[in-house]
Amino acid sequence: MNADDTPGEPPRCLVTGATGYIGGRLVPELLAAGYRVRCLARTPGKLRDHPWAADVEIVRGDVTDDASMAAALREVDVAYYLVHALGSGKHFEETDRRAAHVFARQARAAGVRRLVYLGGLTPAGVPERELSPHLRSRAEVGRILLGSGVPTTVLRAAVILGSGSASFEMLRYLTERLPVMVTPSWVRTRIQPVAVRDVLRSLVGSADMPAEVNRAFDIGGPEVLTYRDMMLRYARVAGLPRRLVVPVPVLSPGLSSQWVGLVTPVPASLARPLAESLRHEVVCREHDIAAYVPDPPGHPLGFDEAVRLALQRVKDAQVTTRWSSASVPGAPSDPLPTDPGWAGGSLYTDEREITVNASPQALWRVIEGIGGENGWYSFPLAWAVRGRLDRLFGGVGLRRGRRDAERLRAGDSLDFWRVEEIERGRLLRLRAEMRLPGLAWLEMYAEQNGDGRTRYRQRALFHPHGLLGQAYWWGVSPFHALVFGGMARNIARAAARTPAPVPPPSGATP
């Protein structure tokens, strides 16, 4: 325990990189394990939408600045170093080196009893100077922290399987968007991927290691696979047709990173170093971590189960204000508010907003009355044709109508939609049950501006399934202005003609 702690209080952990992929998922795991948590962020406001934000101490700081790190590390027992300059430019190695030295120096001065760092798995027998810049920098940071004078745990992982992980997102997009792939030779490279749940379990368990432990541990899943194996098995778990993967030797790491950037939304600043790292075989040489953090039954998770968990949120058809910001993540595999916009798979949106010359109550009456005999307020022929096509391909079509002409409730069928969520007076979210190569939602909001005017907001969202889903979205997008734009305008006009409900007389029973 740190000398400045009050006796009887649980240890305090500092999590750097709390806005990052691993950091944001580690915090709730530490809280669940009973630790007090302090989060360091250069922009603390990025953490405010996390469900755990009120349960932690959030401080502003930068790992390259001695003063802010000295303040952040004060009264800390265990400090997690989860920051990397990868993606910040060509000088990221120097930035990583400088930050690691600052962190190590200030941790020793503050009396921190343990450092925990998540680095990269490195290939056996390859001199550090021959590693890719990405792996070389992670190995150097690990050495700096191990030599800090503070007992340190360095965990070394290869590809981490979980929604939001840059490596996993590369795998996701390449597999989903390309049924036939002419690929770089690194698809033959052997890799030992690991589920994000097992990474977090090892990170939490490392906080309680004995003081004499000062070393690195390899962490990985139970299977060693090539990148080609991972793409083929991802396709199988995701329910995609079998992919044809044709490796060619002419794609250098530089060219292949450009190829990845063309096919996926992962930024080139991340794709290039990750692609360069894939030329190295990264397989665990030991599993000594189990002596300090025992594997529970069923762990470490296999590749298929890890992918299934990473895709679970999509399969459960949950959509929120933005694909990568779930209201309360139920598991480490779920998306988080601080995940980048390219994480979590493609989500295409069509958004409309219009000021309505009516009260919010009148607007809501129109929204809640949509479908059935009232129709969909735009291009009736297009909706009718879509309904007939849906029936032709075995779907429900438009014949289901509504349960009630005026009121809706969660779970109701509504033509070829299902009411997924309703916040009466504000939000109606519908999930499509028509035949589609993907998942689709329609959201309608009745809101009031700061100046008291009524606003109608509408969002259509589509999560494509494979290349057919991508083609479907871009094939129908030219008609969105006619269908969705017309819907927004006509709903606003209908609301302007709809009287607001009259409140019952005073004393009357509603």
Side-chain angles (χ1 to χ4, degrees):
M1 178 177 292
N2 192 290
D4 294 322
D5 281 335
T6 302
E9 286 191 336
R12 176 183 284 114
C13 296
L14 173 71
V15 177
T16 64
T19 59
Y21 170 64
I22 291 294
R25 289 159 173 80
L26 176 63
V27 170
E29 301 295 315
L30 290 171
L31 291 170
Y35 292 102
R36 293 176 292 161
V37 178
R38 176 183 293 164
C39 295
L40 177 80
R42 283 183 296 179
T43 310
K46 289 183 178 180
L47 298 175
R48 67 174 180 269
D49 292 330
H50 283 273
W52 43 256
D55 300 321
V56 303
E57 178 189 0
I58 300 175
V59 297
R60 185 187 303 273
D62 189 317
V63 290
T64 61
D65 178 66
D66 277 278
S68 63
M69 286 312 305
L73 287 161
R74 191 174 299 124
E75 300 181 13
V76 165
D77 299 281
V78 180
Y80 285 88
Y81 193 73
L82 303 174
V83 293
H84 300 288
L86 182 67
S88 63
K90 61 182 179 180
H91 301 298
F92 74 88
E93 289 185 84
E94 172 55 33
T95 303
D96 273 342
R97 183 180 305 117
R98 185 172 73 254
H101 279 299
V102 168
F103 186 79
R105 182 168 57 247
Q106 296 303 330
R108 184 174 62 251
V112 175
R113 67 169 177 81
R114 175 156 298 276
L115 305 181
V116 183
Y117 169 61
L118 178 62
L121 193 59
T122 53
V126 178
E128 193 171 298
R129 66 180 179 276
E130 296 180 14
L131 296 176
S132 70
H134 165 52
L135 290 181
R136 186 170 62 229
S137 180
R138 291 202 166 191
E140 183 183 17
V141 169
R143 283 191 289 102
I144 292 170
L145 298 181
L146 287 168
S148 66
V150 179
T152 298
T153 302
V154 173
L155 302 178
R156 299 184 297 208
V159 171
I160 297 177
L161 302 172
S163 181
S165 159
S167 297
F168 179 78
E169 296 301 338
M170 273 179 51
L171 175 69
R172 181 207 300 266
Y173 287 114
L174 288 173
T175 308
E176 291 190 350
R177 294 186 173 186
L178 296 176
V180 179
M181 290 175 267
V182 177
T183 59
S185 58
W186 49 249
V187 297
R188 300 191 186 99
T189 302
R190 295 170 73 242
I191 300 167
Q192 193 165 350
V194 59
V196 65
R197 296 181 184 218
D198 289 313
V199 173
L200 295 173
R201 182 171 55 81
S202 297
L203 285 167
V204 174
S206 295
D208 200 33
M209 282 188 177
E212 65 270 18
V213 176
N214 185 65
R215 57 161 292 186
F217 297 89
D218 293 350
I219 56 173
E223 299 166 278
V224 177
L225 305 166
T226 66
Y227 205 87
R228 177 181 181 277
D229 293 334
M230 292 197 295
M231 288 191 285
L232 294 177
R233 287 177 61 171
Y234 178 100
R236 187 174 66 198
V237 174
L240 299 169
R242 181 178 172 83
R243 271 34 191 162
L244 178 61
V245 182
V246 183
V248 295
V250 296
L251 285 176
S252 67
L255 286 174
S256 64
S257 67
Q258 298 301 320
W259 170 72
V260 171
L262 179 67
V263 174
T264 82
V266 178
S269 58
L270 286 176
R272 182 180 179 88
L274 290 174
E276 288 176 345
S277 299
L278 288 171
R279 73 175 188 263
H280 300 297
E281 182 175 282
V282 280
V283 176
C284 295
R285 297 179 290 276
E286 42 82 11
H287 189 54
D288 297 349
I289 187 72
Y292 302 96
V293 187
D295 295 325
H299 287 263
L301 295 174
F303 178 86
D304 290 359
E305 178 64 7
V307 171
R308 187 190 66 77
L309 290 168
L311 301 180
Q312 193 63 52
R313 178 55 63 95
V314 176
K315 291 182 179 179
D316 286 345
Q318 296 296 314
V319 65
T320 53
T321 54
R322 140 173 134 81
W323 186 249
S324 58
S325 60
S327 54
V328 181
S333 309
D334 288 344
L336 290 182
T338 47
D339 286 349
W342 44 262
S346 301
L347 183 71
Y348 296 122
T349 63
D350 180 277
E351 300 190 49
R352 311 280 167 170
E353 186 175 306
I354 191 167
T355 300
V356 181
N357 187 25
S359 67
Q361 293 82 4
L363 174 59
W364 177 253
R365 289 182 66 183
V366 175
I367 292 173
E368 194 173 9
I370 201 165
E373 294 298 322
N374 292 327
W376 293 88
Y377 291 95
S378 74
F379 205 178
L381 179 61
W383 289 96
V385 169
R386 186 64 183 88
R388 291 192 182 98
L389 285 173
D390 195 52
R391 293 287 297 175
L392 181 64
F393 287 98
V396 296
L398 289 170
R399 298 193 306 178
R400 295 191 305 183
R402 307 173 45 110
R403 174 191 58 85
D404 185 289
E406 296 182 356
R407 303 278 284 182
L408 292 173
R409 62 188 178 195
D412 277 358
S413 60
L414 182 59
D415 293 332
F416 46 41
W417 303 87
R418 177 79 58 182
V419 179
E420 184 172 273
E421 184 175 350
I422 184 166
E423 295 178 23
R424 204 162 303 282
R426 176 182 175 269
L427 163 67
L428 175 63
R429 178 181 298 133
L430 307 175
R431 184 180 74 244
E433 293 190 336
M434 65 192 82
R435 294 287 184 176
L436 287 170
L439 301 170
W441 296 264
L442 179 63
E443 295 180 337
M444 290 167 278
Y445 294 83
E447 299 175 332
Q448 200 163 46
N449 290 330
D451 59 3
R453 303 185 71 184
T454 300
R455 176 179 62 184
Y456 172 67
R457 209 158 47 85
Q458 175 183 292
R459 289 203 314 165
L461 305 103
F462 182 65
H463 177 73
H465 187 64
L467 186 62
L468 183 59
Q470 302 280 340
Y472 174 83
W473 173 263
W474 294 113
V476 300
S477 59
F479 304 101
H480 286 174
L482 183 63
V483 175
F484 293 127
M487 175 184 288
R489 291 189 297 272
N490 290 331
I491 284 176
R493 291 171 186 151
R497 300 192 299 267
T498 301
V502 179
S506 178
T509 301

